[in-house]
Structure formats: C-alpha cells, structure tokens
Amino acid sequence: MNRIFTTTPEFSTVLLEYADPSDIVLIFDTTFGTNIYGFSLGFFVAPDMHGASQVVAVTLLQHEDQQSLNACMRNLRFALNGGQDGDIVPKVLMTDGDAKIAKAILQELIMVQNQQGDWVDRVMQTLHLLCLFHLWLNVRDAIRPVFRHGRSWAKEWYEFEHLFWKASYQTDETDADQLLRALSQFLD
C-alpha cells in the first residue's frame, strides 16, 4: 500500500451548503514525512458557509511522485462526483506551487484525454492558485536580494514587505490597486 484517500464526514456537509458543488474552493497541502512511516499527509480544506475551515478529505502518500499526486486529484474528482468520474471539479484549488501538484491538477482537474488520446479542456475547470504564504515566499526570494545593503537589508525592503502584506489583506479594490502600484514603484 502506497497511498490512501478518504473524505471526512464534513465533506458532505460542506458540499450540501453550496448550491453548486463546483463552486467549492479548496486548499491542498501536504506534510513531509512527519510520521514514523515516512508518509506525507495531504489534506483538503474548504470554508463552510460560516467561514470556518473544514478538513473535507485527507490522503496518505508514501511518495509524492507524479503518479500518486495524479491519483490523489483523480480521487478528489471522483469524490465530488459521487464516487464516479464526472465533470464536477473545485472552482479554485490553492496549493504551495509544487510542480508535480500543478501537473496533477492540470491533468486531472483542468484537462481530460479524449478517445484519441489528445488532451483537451474540461467543460468545467479548476483555477489553480498559490496560497498567500507560498506566494510571499516566491516574492521574497526573488525580490529581497535587490534590497541587500551590505550584510543586512535596506530599510526599503521592510517598507516593501509591509506594503505587500497590507495589499494582501486589502478588501477594497481601489485601495489594493494603490498599494500594488506603490509596490511596483519600489522595483522601478
């Protein structure tokens, strides 16, 4: 046995709260070898209608290889379709940006192979996004070196960091656009 997938009791409850099950937004993340067997625990989390996070499905993976991650996403699709193959897929799936996870989402939730073996778009597709924390890590790693000042960071780096997080939590679109323009000016 090298992988297991199961839904939780909350899965049905959360799905029933959505008028259209394909409107569900999920976050998928895995731990790395944190148990004595070295398996990764993957979990799918969705908000319920009260804004609380609910773990709706879990998977244990012996290897986070392409085959296992594809099987995980396929099992999610089957679960959303009542245990059979179908077109209901999550509207949004946020992950850490791992390339193998992105490929599994593409092959199992965005594209489908037709009878000729060609990959074509599904009728309904999942939008794959990076979670905010992992987006921040990418931004930090790519941009922070620009702000190096000797052995430390220039004060502009801390201003940039502050603006990034302020823009990230902004709910007003106009204010968010202004903050994003200010961030862009740091890089000019």
Side-chain angles (χ1 to χ4, degrees):
M1 176 176 65
N2 55 14
R3 58 184 169 259
I4 298 171
F5 179 94
T6 188
T7 58
T8 65
E10 289 78 10
F11 182 78
S12 297
T13 305
V14 170
L15 268 186
L16 289 172
E17 291 178 340
Y18 287 86
D20 181 350
S22 65
D23 284 341
I24 196 165
V25 174
L26 294 171
I27 299 171
F28 177 70
D29 199 8
T30 59
T31 62
F32 179 73
T34 57
N35 57 54
I36 62 172
Y37 304 105
F39 278 63
S40 295
L41 171 65
F43 48 94
F44 291 90
V45 177
D48 64 17
M49 289 303 177
H50 305 288
S53 297
Q54 300 291 333
V55 176
V56 295
V58 294
T59 186
L60 279 174
L61 304 171
Q62 186 176 24
H63 306 287
E64 288 189 54
D65 58 6
Q66 197 62 60
Q67 183 179 3
S68 295
L69 291 167
N70 276 51
C72 177
M73 295 302 158
R74 188 176 321 110
N75 286 331
L76 174 66
R77 189 180 74 239
F78 276 59
L80 287 167
N81 287 278
Q84 56 192 3
D85 200 1
D87 287 327
I88 297 176
V89 294
K91 181 169 272 186
V92 176
L93 183 55
M94 291 183 266
T95 71
D96 63 5
D98 177 86
K100 288 180 263 178
I101 294 174
K103 185 175 181 181
I105 292 168
L106 178 68
Q107 292 180 339
E108 301 296 337
L109 303 177
I110 297 175
M111 305 291 285
V112 64
Q113 272 188 305
N114 63 18
Q115 292 180 345
Q116 291 77 32
D118 299 321
W119 288 97
V120 296
D121 288 343
R122 286 185 175 282
V123 174
M124 300 173 75
Q125 296 183 2
T126 297
L127 176 62
H128 179 211
L129 300 174
L130 289 178
C131 74
L132 183 58
F133 173 73
H134 289 93
L135 178 63
W136 166 247
L137 292 179
N138 291 344
V139 168
R140 184 198 64 190
D141 292 347
I143 295 176
R144 188 166 59 172
V146 172
F147 295 100
R148 172 114 14 237
H149 183 65
R151 299 181 81 195
S152 62
W153 308 109
K155 78 174 182 119
E156 289 82 10
W157 165 249
Y158 300 103
E159 292 171 19
F160 178 89
E161 182 179 32
H162 173 75
L163 279 175
F164 176 89
W165 288 109
K166 190 173 179 182
S168 299
Y169 291 110
Q170 194 55 249
T171 57
D172 180 79
E173 191 173 339
T174 303
D175 292 343
D177 286 342
Q178 287 176 337
L179 291 167
L180 290 172
R181 279 193 293 280
L183 279 171
S184 177
Q185 290 173 355
F186 270 97
L187 302 176
D188 289 338

